Amino acid sequence: MAANKSNRFERLGLKEKIGQLFMCGFDGLEPTKGFMNLIKDYGLGGVIYFRRNVRNAAQVKALSAKLQEASAAPLFIAIDQEGGMVVRLEEGVTVMPGAMAQGAASNAELTREAAKWSGAELREIGINMNFAPCLDVNNNPNNPVIGVRSYGEDPSHVARLGTAAIHGYREGGIVAVAKHFPGHGDTAADSHHELPSVPHNVDRLNEVELLPFRKAIEQKVDAIMTAHVVFPAFEPEGIPATLSRRILSGLLRDELGFEGVIVTDCLEMNAIAETIGVARGAVEAIKAGADLILVSHRLIRQTAALEAVMEAVMTGEIPESRIDEAARRIWELKQSRGLFVNAAPATNRARAEEVRRQLSEASVTVVKGGEAIPLSKSSSTLVIWTEARVGTEVIEVISQDWTLGAALAQSGYDIREIRIGIDPTAEEASEVRSAAESYQTVIFASYDAGFSSGQTGLIRELSADGRFKFVWVSLRTPYDLLVAPDAPTYLCAFENKPAMMTAIAGILSGELDVLAKLPVTIGEHERLSVEE
């Protein structure tokens, strides 16, 4: 166990120091022999979990203990448990609303508590690092990868809630990793697939993108994750931030004064893997000033990256002092966050669930058509529920029984629910059109409709049909409204999680008051000002 591990940094050799600079992942619920050899032979600094690795809290706790037992030094065990639509583990933990939902609720104290109690539950099962919060300022409606992972489009609002979350994770025993520096919010491309660019000048970047990171640094955030994004104003040679010495050492370290651990986003994302390559990318990232290199998937790439860094040190391309500096920074963070003594704060599941409920209820945003609410329980109601059936790096396929239809039925409505895919088939679209004719109220629960011509067509058709009351609820991006701005009634939920479905049912039935403030501008509907 971690409590029995030596905390003497001086005992580490060069190979172990290089190993401390790497965080890797594996496929399946159990690590392969090859992956366990990485831990034992190279002395990995950390492990990252994805949904492929987790089933429930008890299984994760056993897995974490197994990995720690195999390691001579305590491992960072990390996860992307942002809340809302980006979570890896759901069974046995409290899944908090995501960042944009919290942005709509605009309650820094609840945001702090959400991070604290979520963090404590993660620490209890052996996870000690969370790749959250997102400090990206999402001001691009076409952003395919950030969106609801951001607190909103106002930099000060993002900073206020982001720093609250950082403090909460720290109280919960978790290393918070603010991401994606210098900012991934104003991109229209996904760095999982290609290399995006943010073309703004330095003054604009300082005013918008950098402000939340500057505030996080002032609050002594433990770690910051880099973005595989090009910022010509900071790096004129077209090098992505993850590999740019001007950005990591010049901007982040020297200008902004960050003293914590710099973590790369995964080098296996196409923005790196299909350009410079993973192994070379690891070398360049360390030369640029990164401390912890993330290679999340393939053993062959992980081994190649470790060996490439060793070779670069042997040839003098990377000074050994750079390895010492990074490894010591990682080591000291592990000490300061209690990894050597396996310290974990107490959890409070009842309070965590209460915070989740309060945040959910405070985040449902009525953008237009509030006069149509509450909906009559005497009217026959059709709910069209859009669900993800094909996974991507951003969208995960999750079976969900507690839908909006189920929540409304429990509230006393006469409900029929039809489920369709994000890209509905011709048969699904035909079923929806035929069924809508027989109902007095039609509720369309969309999911990223702006990226789906099939959803867009149905929404436009149904919203213009005057034979029934049409109510539109977006289950992810609030920008769905842009595809049919004349729709009469539009609500944003920012996610499709069960607690949020219960909250929407409460709003639609009139049992709950509308408290939320729109955290982003949607066409003519401007972001509401938020008290700081």
Side-chain angles (χ1 to χ4, degrees):
M1 294 299 291
N4 299 323
K5 297 182 188 298
S6 169
N7 63 1
R8 289 185 62 250
F9 179 76
E10 292 71 22
R11 71 174 178 79
L12 299 180
L14 176 61
K15 186 176 182 181
E16 289 78 20
K17 288 177 182 176
I18 291 173
Q20 283 297 300
L21 273 56
F22 279 82
M23 173 175 283
C24 299
F26 58 92
D27 193 19
L29 296 176
E30 287 290 332
T32 63
K33 182 179 179 181
F35 188 81
M36 293 300 279
N37 286 339
L38 273 189
I39 294 176
K40 295 173 182 176
D41 296 344
Y42 288 90
L44 282 187
V47 177
I48 179 172
Y49 290 157
F50 289 90
R51 191 171 285 269
R52 67 193 183 200
N53 305 124
V54 304
R55 180 175 292 155
N56 55 50
Q59 173 262 331
V60 170
K61 185 172 185 176
L63 174 60
S64 301
K66 179 176 183 176
L67 293 169
Q68 292 287 14
E69 214 166 282
S71 179
L75 295 160
F76 281 135
I77 296 183
I79 196 167
D80 290 283
Q81 194 79 356
E82 297 174 17
M85 301 308 295
V86 180
V87 292
R88 308 304 187 206
L89 178 63
E90 298 195 65
E91 189 175 335
V93 296
T94 307
V95 176
M96 295 296 177
M100 195 167 284
Q102 294 190 36
S106 188
N107 187 317
E109 179 58 22
L110 283 179
T111 289
R112 181 194 65 79
E113 272 208 84
K116 173 183 177 179
W117 297 121
S118 177
E121 290 177 8
L122 293 176
R123 189 65 187 263
E124 186 179 48
I125 59 176
I127 295 169
N128 49 46
M129 175 180 277
N130 193 12
F131 289 140
C134 278
L135 296 187
D136 304 297
V137 180
N138 199 88
N139 43 26
N140 189 331
N142 297 316
N143 193 319
V145 65
I146 302 301
V148 294
R149 302 167 66 192
S150 164
Y151 292 105
E153 70 178 36
D154 178 72
S156 297
H157 189 45
V158 172
R160 183 172 71 100
L161 296 181
T163 54
I166 288 165
H167 284 294
Y169 284 126
R170 189 175 297 154
E171 292 174 42
I174 290 288
V175 174
V177 182
K179 59 187 185 185
H180 304 80
F181 183 85
H184 206 325
D186 197 4
T187 62
D190 181 353
S191 51
H192 289 92
H193 303 295
E194 56 188 299
L195 183 59
S197 177
V198 175
H200 303 299
N201 62 34
V202 170
D203 288 344
R204 146 63 198 251
L205 292 169
N206 273 310
E207 182 181 334
V208 178
E209 277 76 11
L210 293 185
L211 189 148
F213 290 102
R214 188 177 290 111
K215 295 298 183 182
I217 291 166
E218 290 174 3
Q219 298 300 312
K220 305 296 184 185
V221 63
D222 286 331
I224 290 177
M225 176 179 280
T226 66
H228 303 329
V229 178
V230 174
F231 289 80
F234 296 136
E235 177 50 86
E237 295 182 27
I239 301 169
T242 295
L243 310 180
S244 169
R245 181 168 180 80
R246 288 186 178 99
I247 291 176
L248 299 192
S249 295
L251 176 63
L252 184 52
R253 289 279 186 226
D254 299 339
E255 186 176 331
L256 298 182
F258 179 57
E259 298 178 350
V261 171
I262 298 177
V263 187
T264 72
D265 209 340
C266 179
L267 297 191
E268 292 189 77
M269 293 162 65
N270 283 355
I272 302 297
E274 299 301 321
T275 55
I276 192 174
V278 174
R280 190 64 208 168
V283 172
E284 293 298 328
I286 291 171
K287 287 167 61 179
D291 303 309
L292 189 58
I293 308 300
L294 188 57
V295 188
S296 303
H297 304 286
R298 305 179 196 176
L299 183 64
I300 190 170
R301 286 178 166 178
Q302 294 161 353
T303 304
L306 282 156
E307 292 178 351
V309 172
M310 176 64 81
E311 176 70 14
V313 176
M314 292 294 97
T315 61
E317 183 180 3
I318 297 178
E320 192 168 342
S321 60
R322 171 82 266 270
I323 301 297
D324 284 344
E325 172 197 22
R328 186 177 293 277
R329 193 175 280 122
I330 289 164
W331 198 262
E332 289 177 351
L333 180 55
K334 290 179 176 180
Q335 288 180 318
S336 69
R337 294 294 165 242
L339 270 63
F340 285 92
V341 296
N342 203 27
T347 59
N348 186 335
R349 181 59 60 84
R351 180 55 189 165
E353 291 178 353
E354 176 64 13
V355 169
R356 176 174 63 184
R357 181 190 64 79
Q358 290 181 23
L359 278 171
S360 298
E361 292 179 356
S363 65
V364 178
T365 308
V366 179
V367 179
K368 61 181 301 192
E371 62 277 4
I373 300 170
L375 302 180
S376 171
K377 292 183 180 180
S378 63
S379 297
S380 59
T381 303
L382 174 67
V383 175
I384 300 135
W385 172 266
T386 310
E387 57 187 4
R389 296 170 182 167
V390 178
T392 68
E393 288 86 351
V394 180
I395 296 174
E396 295 185 285
V397 178
I398 303 165
S399 176
Q400 188 162 319
D401 294 326
W402 192 250
T403 62
L404 180 54
L408 285 167
Q410 181 171 280
S411 294
Y413 286 88
D414 176 18
I415 294 291
R416 177 189 174 189
E417 185 171 78
I418 296 175
R419 296 192 181 203
I420 63 172
I422 290 179
D423 295 305
T425 65
E427 292 77 12
E428 288 173 336
S430 178
E431 181 185 11
V432 167
R433 292 189 189 97
S434 176
E437 298 175 359
S438 304
Y439 287 85
Q440 296 166 291
T441 301
V442 173
I443 302 173
F444 197 108
S446 65
Y447 190 113
D448 282 358
F451 300 98
S452 166
S453 59
Q455 283 186 73
T456 296
L458 276 176
I459 290 166
R460 289 172 176 168
E461 185 178 333
L462 295 172
S463 65
D465 192 322
R467 291 175 294 176
F468 45 77
K469 178 183 287 188
F470 181 76
V471 177
W472 184 4
V473 181
S474 66
L475 299 181
R476 188 164 180 150
T477 174
Y479 304 110
D480 278 1
L481 179 62
L482 296 175
V483 306
D486 294 330
T489 303
Y490 182 73
L491 289 76
C492 295
F494 310 105
E495 58 194 60
N496 63 7
K497 298 302 180 185
M500 194 64 74
M501 297 307 98
T502 301
I504 296 171
I507 295 293
L508 292 177
S509 66
E511 296 168 9
L512 297 175
D513 294 329
V514 177
L515 304 174
K517 299 179 179 181
L518 186 63
V520 293
T521 297
I522 310 172
E524 65 181 23
H525 303 278
E526 295 185 359
R527 171 187 60 83
L528 298 182
S529 61
V530 176
E531 293 182 6
E532 300 301 331

